Amino acid sequence: MSLHDDAILVLKGYGSRTQGPDQADRTGGDERDRSAQEALRQTYLDHLSARPDAMWKACEAGHLTASALVIDPARGRVLLTLHRKLRMWLQMGGHCEPQDPSVAAAALREATEESGVAGLTLLPGGPVRLDRHAIPAPCHWHLDVQYAVLAPPGAVEAISDESLDLRWFRYDEVAGVADASVVNLLEAARARL
C-alpha cells in the first residue's frame, strides 16, 4: 500500500475512533472542537483525492505532515523542541519520506530523530488530532496528522540539527510556552492515557 493510500485509510477511520457516549472524555474536546476536527478530516481527504502528490513537500498547494507529542506519563511531562526556523516550542514532526510505510511510521520516525529518544512507542488508537497551519511560500499549508508517543522509563533526549533546544515540560507548563495547537494536542493525548 502506498503512503498516500495509507493516509486515506487513516483519515477515513479518524472520526470513527472517537464516536461513542464517552467521546468528549476520549478526545479532550467539546462539540465545537469535534466539528472542527471533522471539517479538517474532510479537507485532508479532499486534498488527497485532488492531489496525488499531497504527501510530499514538493506539493506547493499544501501537503500532509506527521508529528508526535513525546509523553512521559509516569512523570507527567512532555518533550518539546524549540524549532530552529519557527522559534516556537512544538511537538516533534515533519515531512513524510518515500521510505515511510505509513503516516504513523513517519510520525514515529520524526519523533525518534528529533528527540533522540530510543524506544518510543505510539499511543494506541491512531492519530490524536489534526492541525492545518500556514507556512511560508513556496508551499502554503501543512496538513498535520498528529500522534502521541510514549517515552520509555529513563528516556534520555538528544538535540538534533532541527532544534535550538529540547526540553521536558510538566503538563501544567505547556500552555505557558507553546501555542494552542500543542496545548490541544496534549489535552487530547492525555484523554487517551
Side-chain angles (χ1 to χ4, degrees):
M1 174 184 309
S2 72
L3 189 57
H4 189 276
D5 291 342
D6 174 74
I8 291 170
L9 285 176
V10 166
L11 291 164
K12 283 184 175 179
Y14 175 70
S16 66
R17 275 190 287 280
T18 58
Q19 300 302 314
D22 61 341
Q23 182 174 13
D25 291 338
R26 289 170 52 200
T27 64
D30 59 16
E31 183 60 37
R32 187 177 60 223
D33 184 58
R34 286 190 296 278
S35 294
Q37 285 291 291
E38 174 55 29
L40 275 177
R41 183 183 79 88
Q42 193 57 55
T43 297
Y44 286 30
L45 286 168
D46 292 347
H47 189 66
L48 285 161
S49 177
R51 301 297 306 237
D53 60 344
M55 299 304 300
W56 313 121
K57 186 177 180 178
C59 182
E60 292 182 3
H63 49 272
L64 271 71
T65 55
S67 68
L69 182 65
V70 178
I71 302 175
D72 179 354
R75 298 180 69 186
R77 62 186 189 160
V78 296
L79 185 64
L80 298 179
T81 179
L82 184 56
H83 195 278
R84 183 172 296 282
K85 291 181 183 175
L86 300 176
R87 298 190 184 274
M88 296 171 60
W89 288 104
L90 300 169
Q91 75 275 13
M92 316 302 150
H95 296 104
C96 296
E97 302 293 342
Q99 71 272 15
D100 292 325
S102 66
V103 179
L108 182 60
R109 175 187 52 75
E110 286 285 342
T112 301
E113 287 175 0
E114 292 184 12
S115 72
V117 176
L120 295 172
T121 57
L122 286 161
L123 185 65
V128 175
R129 285 189 62 82
L130 305 176
D131 183 70
R132 179 178 184 243
H133 48 271
I135 58 169
C139 181
H140 300 288
W141 295 101
H142 274 176
L143 306 169
D144 197 29
V145 181
Q146 300 178 325
Y147 291 81
V149 294
L150 302 175
V156 177
E157 71 278 5
I159 198 164
S160 76
D161 292 342
E162 296 182 36
S163 301
L164 292 172
D165 197 1
L166 199 60
R167 190 177 308 163
W168 290 101
F169 292 95
R170 289 187 326 269
Y171 296 156
D172 63 355
E173 294 177 315
V174 173
V177 298
D179 70 7
S181 69
V182 179
V183 173
N184 292 337
L185 176 57
L186 172 59
E187 289 174 359
R190 288 185 67 195
R192 282 214 195 152
L193 291 174

